[in-house]
Amino acid sequence: QVQLVESGGELVQAGGSLRLSCAASGRTFSSDPMGWFRQAPGKEREFVAAINWRGAITAYADSVKGRFTISRDNAKNTVYLQMNSLKTEDTAVYYCAADGSVTYRGTSSYTPRYWGQGTQVTVSS
């Protein structure tokens, strides 16, 4: 059974940093894209970032470009999201995603096959 377990979400002040982790189990995703989505209260879930299997190609939502960095460690079957210069509007539940299809150029998009349960990130002013 595939499981994606996120960690690292917490309360942080605006301007601060957080690093989210997502550990996968049940199968290896070393040949698949992985990524992150988020859902703020009252809003739809939205794409945040994705990374290809080698870690050589990444895609970001415009709202996080220059502030967030996605990376992965295939030996650990884990994907990370480094979030810097956090803003109050980054407050959301952050979901890990794996496998599926990604559009890396133009308007980036990601349709995952697997989802994590989410981790809460709250940015206070």
Side-chain angles (χ1 to χ4, degrees):
Q1 180 181 356
V2 172
Q3 281 193 315
L4 303 176
V5 180
E6 302 95 336
S7 61
E10 62 181 68
L11 173 64
V12 64
Q13 285 193 328
S17 298
L18 280 178
R19 188 194 196 205
L20 304 184
S21 300
C22 171
S25 61
R27 58 161 279 194
T28 179
F29 290 101
S30 58
S31 299
D32 304 295
M34 299 184 78
W36 293 90
F37 287 72
R38 68 186 181 186
Q39 187 167 18
K43 296 188 177 181
E44 293 187 353
R45 190 174 300 189
E46 64 175 1
F47 167 76
V48 174
I51 187 167
N52 80 327
W53 67 277
R54 287 180 58 194
I57 304 174
T58 58
Y60 297 93
D62 288 343
S63 58
V64 306
K65 280 181 182 176
R67 301 188 298 121
F68 291 10
T69 302
I70 188 171
S71 61
R72 65 189 297 166
D73 184 339
N74 286 340
K76 296 182 178 180
N77 217 18
T78 298
V79 64
Y80 305 96
L81 186 68
Q82 177 67 42
M83 305 186 293
N84 298 329
S85 302
L86 283 162
K87 305 175 181 180
T88 55
E89 51 262 44
D90 294 319
T91 295
V93 177
Y94 283 72
Y95 297 91
C96 176
D99 204 352
S101 61
V102 181
T103 299
Y104 291 99
R105 297 292 179 254
T107 301
S108 300
S109 64
Y110 183 15
T111 304
R113 183 176 178 188
Y114 300 102
W115 293 94
Q117 292 300 306
T119 185
Q120 177 71 46
V121 172
T122 303
V123 184
S124 65
S125 58

